[in-house]
């Protein structure tokens, strides 16, 4: 089945939603990759299961966040594509 041809207005609206989603996910990625690690020493004062929170964020939290970002981005983009009728089958 051929992909739906979007009008110029629909294409702009689709790109606006896609772009907003992309920049939001990049902001969360940046926070998990750089900002949270700046405060690692302060976070180390808090312990979870005997491990300092700063260590936990570096070892587990960021990676878990990345995986969640990937799954959320995929499902949110699929919803946007379905809204505009350009989703893959």
């Amino acid at each position: 089945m051929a992909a739906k041809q979007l009008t110029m207005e629909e294409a702009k609206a689709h790109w606006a939603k896609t772009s907003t989603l992309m920049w939001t996910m990049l902001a969360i990625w940046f926070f998990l990759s750089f900002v949270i690690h700046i405060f690692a020493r302060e976070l180390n004062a808090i312990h979870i299961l005997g491990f300092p929170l700063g260590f936990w964020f570096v070892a587990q939290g960021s990676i878990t966040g990345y995986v969640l970002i990937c799954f959320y981005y995929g499902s949110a983009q699929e919803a946007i594509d379905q809204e505009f009728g350009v989703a893959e089958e």
Side-chain angles (χ1 to χ4, degrees):
M1 184 171 143
K4 176 184 173 186
Q5 287 287 16
L6 298 177
T7 65
M8 186 61 75
E9 293 79 25
E10 289 174 328
K12 286 182 181 180
H14 181 268
W15 175 245
K17 284 191 171 193
T18 299
S19 179
T20 300
L21 176 63
M22 176 187 65
W23 287 111
T24 303
M25 294 299 102
L26 282 173
I28 294 170
W29 168 82
F30 181 82
F31 179 79
L32 289 174
S33 297
F34 298 105
V35 176
I36 198 77
H37 299 292
I38 292 172
F39 301 105
R41 288 186 182 167
E42 291 80 7
L43 291 172
N44 282 337
I46 303 168
H47 288 82
I48 296 177
L49 299 173
F51 294 100
L53 186 60
F55 170 79
W56 186 86
F57 269 117
V58 171
Q60 301 294 328
S62 296
I63 296 169
T64 303
Y66 302 148
V67 171
L68 293 175
I69 286 172
C70 289
F71 280 109
Y72 177 78
Y73 179 81
S75 65
Q77 185 61 52
E78 181 66 23
I80 291 170
D81 289 347
Q82 286 180 359
E83 177 184 345
F84 288 92
V86 295
E88 296 178 3
E89 294 181 15

